[in-house]
């Protein structure tokens, strides 16, 4: 089966018990494989995981690739505007990268740089930040497109 280069997915910060690794793990998203993977100790590790700043006000996307990897390419007033801008974003110039994607909200568009110097664009569709079972819960659903060739151009659908 070919590895997908686009799709819609959701990530959250639920800890799950791994029988294989005998530890608690969190799932994140790995663009190069187009799927959810565990962290730690999964191999390969996810590109992005989600958390919040402890106030339930700010959701944060994180990476553990030791690069500044996030760039907010835009924030839009509604889903239609965000969808149109996302589709129109076919290439980019090298932006000023940030360590985290902070204050994630619907209708934002982000560009992500992997540790292998490949790129993905993603559009935030929805977020949830609340207390569940006495723990801070964070969730993000996003549409994504990954370019596996290292260029600054995203493939079409």
């Amino acid at each position: 089966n070919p590895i997908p280069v686009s799709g819609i997915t959701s990530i959250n910060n639920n800890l799950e018990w791994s029988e294989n690794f005998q530890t608690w793990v969190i799932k994140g998203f790995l663009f190069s494989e187009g799927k959810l993977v565990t962290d730690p100790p999964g191999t390969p590790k996810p590109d992005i995981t989600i958390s919040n700043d402890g106030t339930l006000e700010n959701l944060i996307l994180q990476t553990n690739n030791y690069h500044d990897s996030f760039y907010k390419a835009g924030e839009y007033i509604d889903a239609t505007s965000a969808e149109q801008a996302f589709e129109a974003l076919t290439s980019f110039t090298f932006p000023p990268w940030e360590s985290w994607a902070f204050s994630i909200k619907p209708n934002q568009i982000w560009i992500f740089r992997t540790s292998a110097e490949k790129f993905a664009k993603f559009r935030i569709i929805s977020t949830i930040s609340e207390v569940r079972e006495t723990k801070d819960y964070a969730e993000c659903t996003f549409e994504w497109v990954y370019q596996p060739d290292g260029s600054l151009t995203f493939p079409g659908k």
Side-chain angles (χ1 to χ4, degrees):
N1 292 333
I3 295 173
V5 293
S6 64
I8 294 176
T9 196
S10 293
I11 57 175
N12 65 55
N13 65 340
N14 275 342
L15 289 173
E16 300 175 10
W17 179 254
S18 170
E19 289 295 329
N20 289 343
F21 300 114
Q22 292 295 298
T23 189
W24 292 96
V25 296
I26 190 168
K27 287 185 179 178
F29 191 72
L30 181 62
F31 289 106
S32 63
E33 294 186 12
K35 67 180 185 179
L36 296 173
V37 296
T38 58
D39 180 34
T43 304
K45 294 189 179 294
D47 287 319
I48 60 173
T49 57
I50 191 165
S51 186
N52 63 43
D53 66 357
T55 66
L56 298 179
E57 296 297 319
N58 292 306
L59 292 179
I60 303 165
L61 292 176
Q62 304 164 299
T63 187
N64 61 0
N65 69 14
Y66 307 108
H67 287 296
D68 288 343
S69 297
F70 295 94
Y71 173 71
K72 185 170 21 172
E75 190 165 341
Y76 301 88
I77 193 163
D78 58 32
T80 301
S81 300
E83 288 173 30
Q84 291 170 347
F86 185 74
E87 291 299 321
L89 178 59
T90 57
S91 65
F92 65 99
T93 56
F94 225 71
W97 300 105
E98 298 177 32
S99 300
W100 298 350
F102 192 72
S103 198
I104 295 300
K105 296 181 176 102
N107 305 320
Q108 292 176 339
I109 297 173
W110 292 82
I111 297 174
F112 179 79
R113 172 174 65 165
T114 72
S115 59
E117 294 294 322
K118 308 287 173 75
F119 303 94
K121 66 176 181 176
F122 59 95
R123 175 180 64 90
I124 307 299
I125 296 172
S126 65
T127 59
I128 299 172
S129 183
E130 62 191 22
V131 175
R132 289 190 182 175
E133 299 176 10
T134 70
K135 294 182 176 84
D136 290 347
Y137 177 79
E139 180 179 304
C140 179
T141 299
F142 56 94
E143 178 181 15
W144 58 277
V145 175
Y146 175 68
Q147 60 78 332
D149 64 7
S151 70
L152 303 180
T153 304
F154 295 107
K157 287 189 173 187

PDB file of all heavy atoms in Angstrom, residues 91-105:
ATOM      1  N   SER A  91       3.388  26.386  -2.407  1.00  0.00           N
ATOM      2  CA  SER A  91       4.831  26.496  -2.199  1.00  0.00           C
ATOM      3  C   SER A  91       5.097  27.606  -1.182  1.00  0.00           C
ATOM      4  O   SER A  91       4.203  28.380  -0.853  1.00  0.00           O
ATOM      5  CB  SER A  91       5.550  26.778  -3.512  1.00  0.00           C
ATOM      6  OG  SER A  91       5.171  28.037  -4.011  1.00  0.00           O
ATOM      7  N   PHE A  92       6.310  27.650  -0.693  1.00  0.00           N
ATOM      8  CA  PHE A  92       6.674  28.657   0.306  1.00  0.00           C
ATOM      9  C   PHE A  92       8.167  28.910   0.248  1.00  0.00           C
ATOM     10  O   PHE A  92       8.920  28.126  -0.315  1.00  0.00           O
ATOM     11  CB  PHE A  92       6.239  28.216   1.712  1.00  0.00           C
ATOM     12  CG  PHE A  92       6.954  26.994   2.221  1.00  0.00           C
ATOM     13  CD1 PHE A  92       8.020  27.117   3.086  1.00  0.00           C
ATOM     14  CD2 PHE A  92       6.559  25.719   1.829  1.00  0.00           C
ATOM     15  CE1 PHE A  92       8.694  26.002   3.554  1.00  0.00           C
ATOM     16  CE2 PHE A  92       7.216  24.597   2.292  1.00  0.00           C
ATOM     17  CZ  PHE A  92       8.286  24.736   3.154  1.00  0.00           C
ATOM     18  N   THR A  93       8.591  30.036   0.809  1.00  0.00           N
ATOM     19  CA  THR A  93      10.013  30.310   0.978  1.00  0.00           C
ATOM     20  C   THR A  93      10.364  29.968   2.421  1.00  0.00           C
ATOM     21  O   THR A  93       9.495  29.893   3.284  1.00  0.00           O
ATOM     22  CB  THR A  93      10.333  31.783   0.692  1.00  0.00           C
ATOM     23  OG1 THR A  93       9.534  32.597   1.543  1.00  0.00           O
ATOM     24  CG2 THR A  93      10.056  32.123  -0.760  1.00  0.00           C
ATOM     25  N   PHE A  94      11.624  29.769   2.692  1.00  0.00           N
ATOM     26  CA  PHE A  94      12.059  29.345   4.018  1.00  0.00           C
ATOM     27  C   PHE A  94      11.660  30.392   5.061  1.00  0.00           C
ATOM     28  O   PHE A  94      12.159  31.515   5.032  1.00  0.00           O
ATOM     29  CB  PHE A  94      13.570  29.114   4.016  1.00  0.00           C
ATOM     30  CG  PHE A  94      13.968  27.854   4.694  1.00  0.00           C
ATOM     31  CD1 PHE A  94      13.705  26.632   4.109  1.00  0.00           C
ATOM     32  CD2 PHE A  94      14.593  27.884   5.921  1.00  0.00           C
ATOM     33  CE1 PHE A  94      14.072  25.454   4.734  1.00  0.00           C
ATOM     34  CE2 PHE A  94      14.960  26.715   6.557  1.00  0.00           C
ATOM     35  CZ  PHE A  94      14.703  25.490   5.958  1.00  0.00           C
ATOM     36  N   PRO A  95      10.758  30.050   5.998  1.00  0.00           N
ATOM     37  CA  PRO A  95      10.263  31.016   6.972  1.00  0.00           C
ATOM     38  C   PRO A  95      11.088  31.036   8.264  1.00  0.00           C
ATOM     39  O   PRO A  95      11.950  30.178   8.465  1.00  0.00           O
ATOM     40  CB  PRO A  95       8.855  30.487   7.266  1.00  0.00           C
ATOM     41  CG  PRO A  95       9.010  29.004   7.144  1.00  0.00           C
ATOM     42  CD  PRO A  95      10.026  28.794   6.045  1.00  0.00           C
ATOM     43  N   PRO A  96      10.807  31.967   9.163  1.00  0.00           N
ATOM     44  CA  PRO A  96      11.422  31.937  10.497  1.00  0.00           C
ATOM     45  C   PRO A  96      10.702  30.891  11.353  1.00  0.00           C
ATOM     46  O   PRO A  96       9.553  31.068  11.731  1.00  0.00           O
ATOM     47  CB  PRO A  96      11.189  33.357  11.030  1.00  0.00           C
ATOM     48  CG  PRO A  96       9.985  33.849  10.286  1.00  0.00           C
ATOM     49  CD  PRO A  96       9.996  33.171   8.951  1.00  0.00           C
ATOM     50  N   TRP A  97      11.350  29.792  11.640  1.00  0.00           N
ATOM     51  CA  TRP A  97      10.746  28.664  12.349  1.00  0.00           C
ATOM     52  C   TRP A  97      10.639  28.941  13.844  1.00  0.00           C
ATOM     53  O   TRP A  97      11.448  29.673  14.411  1.00  0.00           O
ATOM     54  CB  TRP A  97      11.579  27.401  12.140  1.00  0.00           C
ATOM     55  CG  TRP A  97      11.703  26.999  10.717  1.00  0.00           C
ATOM     56  CD1 TRP A  97      12.805  27.138   9.917  1.00  0.00           C
ATOM     57  CD2 TRP A  97      10.697  26.402   9.903  1.00  0.00           C
ATOM     58  NE1 TRP A  97      12.543  26.668   8.663  1.00  0.00           N
ATOM     59  CE2 TRP A  97      11.260  26.203   8.624  1.00  0.00           C
ATOM     60  CE3 TRP A  97       9.382  26.019  10.120  1.00  0.00           C
ATOM     61  CZ2 TRP A  97      10.546  25.626   7.568  1.00  0.00           C
ATOM     62  CZ3 TRP A  97       8.670  25.451   9.072  1.00  0.00           C
ATOM     63  CH2 TRP A  97       9.261  25.257   7.820  1.00  0.00           C
ATOM     64  N   GLU A  98       9.654  28.320  14.488  1.00  0.00           N
ATOM     65  CA  GLU A  98       9.467  28.391  15.935  1.00  0.00           C
ATOM     66  C   GLU A  98       9.604  26.997  16.531  1.00  0.00           C
ATOM     67  O   GLU A  98       9.380  25.995  15.851  1.00  0.00           O
ATOM     68  CB  GLU A  98       8.083  28.953  16.254  1.00  0.00           C
ATOM     69  CG  GLU A  98       7.868  30.363  15.745  1.00  0.00           C
ATOM     70  CD  GLU A  98       6.463  30.864  16.026  1.00  0.00           C
ATOM     71  OE1 GLU A  98       5.861  30.471  17.039  1.00  0.00           O
ATOM     72  OE2 GLU A  98       5.959  31.637  15.201  1.00  0.00           O
ATOM     73  N   SER A  99       9.921  26.929  17.818  1.00  0.00           N
ATOM     74  CA  SER A  99      10.107  25.648  18.499  1.00  0.00           C
ATOM     75  C   SER A  99       8.801  24.885  18.676  1.00  0.00           C
ATOM     76  O   SER A  99       8.788  23.654  18.583  1.00  0.00           O
ATOM     77  CB  SER A  99      10.731  25.859  19.880  1.00  0.00           C
ATOM     78  OG  SER A  99      11.975  26.482  19.768  1.00  0.00           O
ATOM     79  N   TRP A 100       7.720  25.597  18.973  1.00  0.00           N
ATOM     80  CA  TRP A 100       6.408  24.993  19.206  1.00  0.00           C
ATOM     81  C   TRP A 100       5.380  25.702  18.354  1.00  0.00           C
ATOM     82  O   TRP A 100       5.570  26.847  17.962  1.00  0.00           O
ATOM     83  CB  TRP A 100       5.958  25.173  20.643  1.00  0.00           C
ATOM     84  CG  TRP A 100       6.778  24.570  21.711  1.00  0.00           C
ATOM     85  CD1 TRP A 100       7.822  23.700  21.580  1.00  0.00           C
ATOM     86  CD2 TRP A 100       6.628  24.785  23.114  1.00  0.00           C
ATOM     87  NE1 TRP A 100       8.320  23.364  22.800  1.00  0.00           N
ATOM     88  CE2 TRP A 100       7.599  24.021  23.768  1.00  0.00           C
ATOM     89  CE3 TRP A 100       5.760  25.549  23.873  1.00  0.00           C
ATOM     90  CZ2 TRP A 100       7.727  23.993  25.146  1.00  0.00           C
ATOM     91  CZ3 TRP A 100       5.894  25.514  25.246  1.00  0.00           C
ATOM     92  CH2 TRP A 100       6.859  24.747  25.873  1.00  0.00           C
ATOM     93  N   ALA A 101       4.260  25.027  18.134  1.00  0.00           N
ATOM     94  CA  ALA A 101       3.085  25.694  17.568  1.00  0.00           C
ATOM     95  C   ALA A 101       2.208  26.016  18.772  1.00  0.00           C
ATOM     96  O   ALA A 101       1.596  25.142  19.361  1.00  0.00           O
ATOM     97  CB  ALA A 101       2.358  24.792  16.582  1.00  0.00           C
ATOM     98  N   PHE A 102       2.229  27.258  19.193  1.00  0.00           N
ATOM     99  CA  PHE A 102       1.585  27.687  20.431  1.00  0.00           C
ATOM    100  C   PHE A 102       0.240  28.334  20.131  1.00  0.00           C
ATOM    101  O   PHE A 102       0.076  29.012  19.122  1.00  0.00           O
ATOM    102  CB  PHE A 102       2.499  28.683  21.152  1.00  0.00           C
ATOM    103  CG  PHE A 102       2.090  28.977  22.557  1.00  0.00           C
ATOM    104  CD1 PHE A 102       2.244  28.040  23.559  1.00  0.00           C
ATOM    105  CD2 PHE A 102       1.539  30.200  22.877  1.00  0.00           C
ATOM    106  CE1 PHE A 102       1.870  28.316  24.858  1.00  0.00           C
ATOM    107  CE2 PHE A 102       1.156  30.491  24.178  1.00  0.00           C
ATOM    108  CZ  PHE A 102       1.321  29.547  25.165  1.00  0.00           C
ATOM    109  N   SER A 103      -0.710  28.113  21.010  1.00  0.00           N
ATOM    110  CA  SER A 103      -2.040  28.706  20.919  1.00  0.00           C
ATOM    111  C   SER A 103      -2.777  28.252  19.654  1.00  0.00           C
ATOM    112  O   SER A 103      -3.265  29.040  18.867  1.00  0.00           O
ATOM    113  CB  SER A 103      -1.956  30.232  20.982  1.00  0.00           C
ATOM    114  OG  SER A 103      -3.209  30.772  21.302  1.00  0.00           O
ATOM    115  N   ILE A 104      -2.822  26.933  19.489  1.00  0.00           N
ATOM    116  CA  ILE A 104      -3.481  26.305  18.345  1.00  0.00           C
ATOM    117  C   ILE A 104      -4.980  26.581  18.395  1.00  0.00           C
ATOM    118  O   ILE A 104      -5.613  26.394  19.434  1.00  0.00           O
ATOM    119  CB  ILE A 104      -3.238  24.781  18.367  1.00  0.00           C
ATOM    120  CG1 ILE A 104      -1.765  24.482  18.182  1.00  0.00           C
ATOM    121  CG2 ILE A 104      -4.057  24.059  17.311  1.00  0.00           C
ATOM    122  CD1 ILE A 104      -1.193  24.974  16.903  1.00  0.00           C
ATOM    123  N   LYS A 105      -5.529  26.987  17.256  1.00  0.00           N
ATOM    124  CA  LYS A 105      -6.963  27.278  17.150  1.00  0.00           C
ATOM    125  C   LYS A 105      -7.467  26.836  15.779  1.00  0.00           C
ATOM    126  O   LYS A 105      -6.691  26.774  14.824  1.00  0.00           O
ATOM    127  CB  LYS A 105      -7.219  28.772  17.304  1.00  0.00           C
ATOM    128  CG  LYS A 105      -6.849  29.315  18.658  1.00  0.00           C
ATOM    129  CD  LYS A 105      -7.147  30.803  18.751  1.00  0.00           C
ATOM    130  CE  LYS A 105      -6.852  31.292  20.141  1.00  0.00           C
ATOM    131  NZ  LYS A 105      -5.634  31.995  20.294  1.00  0.00           N
TER     132      LYS A 105
END
